[in-house]
Amino acid sequence: SSSSSSSSSSSSPGENRTYDCRDLHEFEDKCAFVETNESCDDNTELLDYLGFHYCIMVGYEWASYIILTLWLFLLLFALGTTAEDHFCPALSHIATTLRLSPDVAGVTILAFGNGAPDVFSTFSAISSDRFDIS
């Protein structure tokens, strides 16, 4: 979890307190808070989801929920299709080469493949001195 805090916006409930992005719902002008609070902008997303929901879709929050839910389903579909087309055949080939049964390959090799992104992102965070994301 991130421990970074940022300065508050002009419509903040308490001017002397610093606010994290999780404090968003304490503010009346959520768009200004999202745009000015550094903890709301971590530059890791492809899209600015908070800016989209609180700034672009103001007054149409229901449509934002629908659009973002459809986007989530599209991303999950893309992930599943990619895994089916690329990961499963590679796993099958490795299992055949190592003469492993499909059950053993699924339990061992699949577990390594599933945990590998976490291991590499932790090494990347440590090497860039960004311990808040490790």
Side-chain angles (χ1 to χ4, degrees), residues 48-58 61 64-65 68:
D48 180 14
Y49 298 107
L50 290 174
F52 174 77
H53 183 74
Y54 291 110
C55 299
I56 296 173
M57 299 299 287
V58 175
E61 286 82 10
S64 175
Y65 289 124
L68 292 174

Side-chain angles (χ1 to χ4, degrees), residues 7-13 15 27 29 32-33 36:
S7 60
S8 58
S9 67
S10 60
S11 62
S12 64
E15 291 296 327
F27 293 83
D29 188 359
F33 182 82
T36 59

Side-chain angles (χ1 to χ4, degrees), residues 37-105:
N37 193 303
E38 292 175 10
S39 68
C40 292
D41 182 26
D42 59 5
N43 293 323
T44 59
E45 305 101 21
L46 178 63
L47 302 173
D48 180 14
Y49 298 107
L50 290 174
F52 174 77
H53 183 74
Y54 291 110
C55 299
I56 296 173
M57 299 299 287
V58 175
Y60 299 100
E61 286 82 10
W62 59 271
S64 175
Y65 289 124
I66 293 171
I67 291 169
L68 292 174
T69 301
L70 291 174
W71 178 245
L72 174 66
F73 286 136
L74 178 69
L75 291 175
L76 291 174
F77 176 76
L79 178 65
T81 303
T82 302
E84 183 179 348
D85 292 347
H86 300 287
F87 190 68
C88 291
L91 178 65
S92 177
H93 178 73
I94 292 170
T96 303
T97 303
L98 296 175
R99 296 187 184 130
L100 297 173
S101 71
D103 293 334
V104 172

Side-chain angles (χ1 to χ4, degrees), residues 25-38:
H25 297 287
E26 295 180 24
F27 293 83
E28 189 173 318
D29 188 359
K30 292 176 178 44
C31 179
F33 182 82
V34 166
E35 289 179 341
T36 59
N37 193 303
E38 292 175 10

